[in-house]
Amino acid sequence: MDRGSEGSFIDVLLTLMWSTIGTALIPALIPWIIYVICNRTEVGKMKGMVVMITGSSSGLGEQLAHSFYKRGCKLILAARRVTELERVKNDLLDLVVEDVSTYEPVIVELDLADIKSIPRKVNNLLNTYGHIDYLINNGGISYRGKITETTVDVDQTVMLINYFGTVTLTKAVLPSMIEQRRGHIVAISSVQGRIAIPHRSAYSASKHALQAFMDCLRAEVSKDGINVTVINPGYIKTNLSVNAVTGSGNKYGVMDETTSRGYEASEAAEKIYYSIAREDKELTLAPLLPRIAIILRSFCPSLYFLLMKRRAMKLPPVHT
C-alpha cells in the first residue's frame, strides 16, 4: 500500500470512527442539552426575587444564602444570632459575583420559639420589600435521647421550634403570596421526616408533622399559583448534632460520626437551590441506604421494624 492509499484508508477509518461515536453520543446528548437549557431558564427567573431564609446564621442556611445571593436574589437573612447574621451578610458582600446584579441582604432577628412575635416581624419585612417570593424554612433544632429519659418539656421545645414556629411563619407570609398569586414555600425537613430511627423521637415527630402540613398546603394553595417544596436531607456536615438537645434539655455537644461523613453544606445547598428552581415537589437528598429504608418502611414494614429494633439495641447511651 503506497502512502496515498494509506492516507485515504486512515481518513476513511477516522470518518467511520467519528460517525460511530456521533451516532452513539447524540441520542445521549440531546436530553442533557435540554436539561441544561431548562435549568438555565429556571435559574434565570429567580434573579431579583425576594428570598427569606431562616436559620441562615450558620450551617446549611448560611450556604443557602451564598447560593441564592450569587444568583442575584434579594435576601432576607433570619435567625436568633444577629452577630452571626452580620458576619454572613459581610461575607456575602465581599463575594465577587460576575455578570449578575447583587443586592445587600436584609437581616432580621427571628426566634422560631417566640411564635407571638413572628406575624409582627413578617409585617415589618413586607413593608420593606412589599412581598416575599420564596420562603425557605430552614431554621430548626435537633435532638438526641431515649424516650424514657426525655422530659416532656424537651418534646414541646423541639415541636415548638421545628413545627409550630415554621407553621406560624408560613401562615404569616401566605396571605401576601396569595394576594400576588405567586410564591414558593420551601421546608427543609429530613429523611427522618419520612422514617423514624431510635434516639430521635422528638426530632422525627416534628419533621413527620412538618411533612404532613406541607403536603396539605401544597394541595390547598396550588390554585393560588403557590409552589411547595419539601427537602429531605440525610446527614449534612454541620453543627446540627453539636447543637442538638438531649432528653434533659442540655446541649448534646458532639459531632456524630454519621454527621461528619455527610454532605458538605455547600454541596447540599447547591442541590437544594436547583431543586427549588425546578419547582420540585420533593427532594430526598441522601445516599442509597436511607432511600432503601424509606422503601422498606412503606412496602416491607416488618423488616424495617426489625432492623430498627436491632439498631436501638446496639446504640450507646446518650450522655445528658
Side-chain angles (χ1 to χ4, degrees):
M1 182 182 292
D2 57 34
R3 290 189 177 181
S5 300
E6 183 181 352
S8 299
F9 175 75
I10 293 174
D11 289 341
V12 171
L13 186 62
L14 288 173
T15 300
L16 288 172
M17 183 179 70
W18 286 115
S19 176
T20 302
I21 293 173
T23 302
L25 287 180
I26 288 174
L29 283 174
I30 289 175
W32 179 79
I33 292 170
I34 294 173
Y35 173 80
V36 170
I37 292 173
C38 290
N39 258 352
R40 286 183 177 178
T41 302
E42 289 158 348
V43 171
K45 74 180 182 182
M46 298 177 73
K47 292 179 182 177
M49 294 291 181
V50 179
V51 180
M52 180 176 181
I53 307 173
T54 64
S56 51
S57 60
S58 62
L60 179 60
E62 179 177 351
Q63 293 305 316
L64 285 169
H66 278 257
S67 293
F68 280 87
Y69 176 82
K70 66 186 182 183
R71 267 73 177 220
C73 297
K74 300 175 181 178
L75 293 184
I76 299 172
L77 306 178
R80 291 179 299 111
R81 299 177 297 169
V82 176
T83 303
E84 287 301 298
L85 287 176
E86 291 284 3
R87 177 189 61 78
V88 174
K89 175 182 175 179
N90 291 332
D91 287 346
L92 293 174
L93 293 175
D94 287 341
L95 291 177
V96 177
V97 182
E98 298 179 355
D99 303 325
V100 175
S101 297
T102 57
Y103 304 88
E104 181 175 342
V106 171
I107 65 173
V108 56
E109 182 180 5
L110 185 72
D111 185 355
L112 290 172
D114 185 10
I115 59 176
K116 290 184 179 179
S117 70
I118 291 175
R120 171 177 53 81
K121 295 198 174 186
V122 168
N123 284 333
N124 292 339
L125 290 172
L126 291 174
N127 289 332
T128 300
Y129 272 130
H131 63 280
I132 295 172
D133 297 299
Y134 291 81
L135 170 61
I136 303 179
N137 291 297
N138 169 74
I141 187 172
S142 193
Y143 153 87
R144 302 290 186 275
K146 293 179 65 176
I147 292 173
T148 55
E149 298 172 357
T150 300
T151 67
V152 174
D153 286 344
V154 170
D155 290 309
Q156 290 177 329
T157 297
V158 175
M159 187 64 76
L160 175 62
I161 295 171
N162 289 356
Y163 178 71
F164 286 109
T166 296
V167 168
T168 302
L169 178 59
T170 299
K171 287 187 174 185
V173 172
L174 267 177
S176 62
M177 288 186 172
I178 292 173
E179 183 178 355
Q180 67 179 359
R181 297 195 62 79
R182 186 183 75 246
H184 199 143
I185 304 292
V186 180
I188 307 298
S189 182
S190 169
V191 165
Q192 293 169 41
R194 301 291 306 280
I195 55 173
I197 64 175
H199 290 186
R200 304 289 193 278
S201 59
Y203 182 75
S204 290
S206 68
K207 294 300 185 179
H208 272 57
L210 185 61
Q211 175 91 43
F213 175 85
M214 291 297 168
D215 285 353
C216 293
L217 179 65
R218 184 186 297 108
E220 292 182 20
V221 299
S222 61
K223 69 181 187 306
D224 301 305
I226 298 172
N227 297 303
V228 176
T229 298
V230 175
I231 307 294
N232 298 312
Y235 294 109
I236 300 176
K237 197 184 300 183
T238 68
N239 284 330
L240 187 67
S241 68
V242 175
N243 295 323
V245 293
T246 64
S248 63
N250 294 325
K251 187 175 178 179
Y252 183 55
V254 177
M255 172 73 77
D256 289 334
E257 183 181 349
T258 49
T259 301
S260 66
R261 291 189 279 106
Y263 287 101
E264 293 290 342
S266 57
E267 177 188 2
E270 284 293 286
K271 291 180 182 295
I272 292 169
Y273 172 84
Y274 282 108
S275 180
I276 295 170
R278 293 191 303 265
E279 298 181 358
D280 291 344
K281 301 295 186 275
E282 191 170 51
L283 171 69
T284 297
L285 184 58
L288 182 60
L289 191 58
R291 293 173 182 272
I292 293 174
I294 291 172
I295 294 171
L296 283 179
R297 177 62 181 85
S298 299
F299 297 101
C300 192
S302 296
L303 177 57
Y304 174 80
F305 297 148
L306 176 61
L307 293 172
M308 290 302 104
K309 173 183 174 181
R310 291 181 175 177
R311 178 184 175 120
M313 293 173 66
K314 292 179 181 180
L315 285 173
V318 177
H319 298 289
T320 58

